[in-house]
Amino acid sequence: MASAEAHLEAEALPPISEGDMNEIRAAVEKGDLTAAATKAHEILANEEQIQLHIAVTGESGSGKSSFVNAMRGLQDHEEGAAEIGVTETTMECSPYPHPQHSHVIFWDLPGIGTPKFRPDTYLKQVHFDHYDFFIIISSSRFTCNDATLAKAIQARGKHFYFVRSKVDQDVSNERKLYNEEGVLKAKGKQATEIRPQRYDEMAVLASIRQDCERNLARLGIRSPQVFLVCRDDFSMMYDGPRLLKTFLDDLPSEKKLSFLRCLAITSREVVRQKKKELMKYVWLKSLASCGASAVPIPGLSTAVDIAILVTSLKEYCRTFGLSEESLQKLAEQVNKPVKELKAVIKTPLHHEITKDLVIKLLTKSIGSAVQYPLLVLKVIPVVGWVIGSLASAAISFPTTFFLLKNFLSDAAADAERVLQKALEGTTQKSHLWS
């Protein structure tokens, strides 16, 4: 039992209202497992419908549309991508749902400061209240319009983020001033603090960031924070990972999972955050599987709703990038054969999750459910009265709990191994593998 106890950790609870929790408790006290399971199913369905609206704005030509595409995991030329151009191509607020997670919507807003969208009326024109937070983009220095917009957003109580785009172009242009050995080419020019004798990419990035922050401070923004990003490999390069983490940290608890679902596996921290949030819902899924749709499993002394379990395991695979499509895209991104990435995976992939597989996994899980039922109560005391009060749930609930928890943990471990393999031999490994 010691090993099992070490494997389990106290479960944090999902953001469920006190009213919903009391409704489940009342159903259990009446001995109505079907009603309790139905309520759990309803809570899960409502969570899946939570929408997140992210506004991306800035002056024309700043790279807004490319940023929207990057956040959605699309190249600028792919079907469904936001239109890009050197002139203002966004003339109205355009929604772009994430391709795999349609409840996360990125809004490509018209550029501020154009004749049609003046700073003093901008927020009203773009329907400010509709968005959860704002991203203000510039490909050079942030302007007075950007600062005015940021102050207005802050005054209305919402988060905003300054994003300096096209940083890879600045880095490339600066690198051209140095020879292959990284020594400054220009003859007769003395090295300066801004441009040292030897090339230093970190110094280039620090200079860009400091210039942006000083400029924003002059425009009246207190303690400005600027994130440096590029179009290609957005989520792995420069400040991309830090920007995504900041978004996540600032989101209210009920919207964190919605955002995490659409994030690519770009760091160990992303994997851990996804696992943490998904684990909060394991007990609800286990309870929902004990409802009216539960059917006896041949050869097992338990009844569960197989459809819920199949859907849940597929969700875990999709969230951790364990699908043919996700693995192929990652392989192309890191220029490695997809079979190298698949070689480190131990759990079934998304397309391999079937009813027969779930029954097989249930068979493996029932041993733990019978051996450690009290341990489950200790780990998730909030549902202890479910199993304790309803004999019909005494085996089915722990069985599905162990199945979901173990599969989720294994999928997260696979995601870390895939990322580690993808980053082997790259300069990004020390930056992201933490």
Side-chain angles (χ1 to χ4, degrees), residues 127-161:
H127 309 292
F128 170 84
D129 292 332
H130 188 65
Y131 312 108
D132 290 280
F133 62 84
F134 287 74
I135 299 167
I136 304 173
I137 292 185
S138 176
S139 59
S140 54
R141 284 190 172 187
F142 291 92
T143 67
C144 182
N145 285 337
D146 296 323
T148 299
L149 177 60
K151 293 175 186 176
I153 294 170
Q154 188 174 40
R156 299 190 185 195
K158 291 194 176 182
H159 288 288
F160 65 90
Y161 307 90

Side-chain angles (χ1 to χ4, degrees), residues 71 90 246 265 354 396 402 422 433:
M71 288 286 290
T90 307
T246 304
I265 302 297
T354 63
S396 58
F402 276 103
W433 192 247

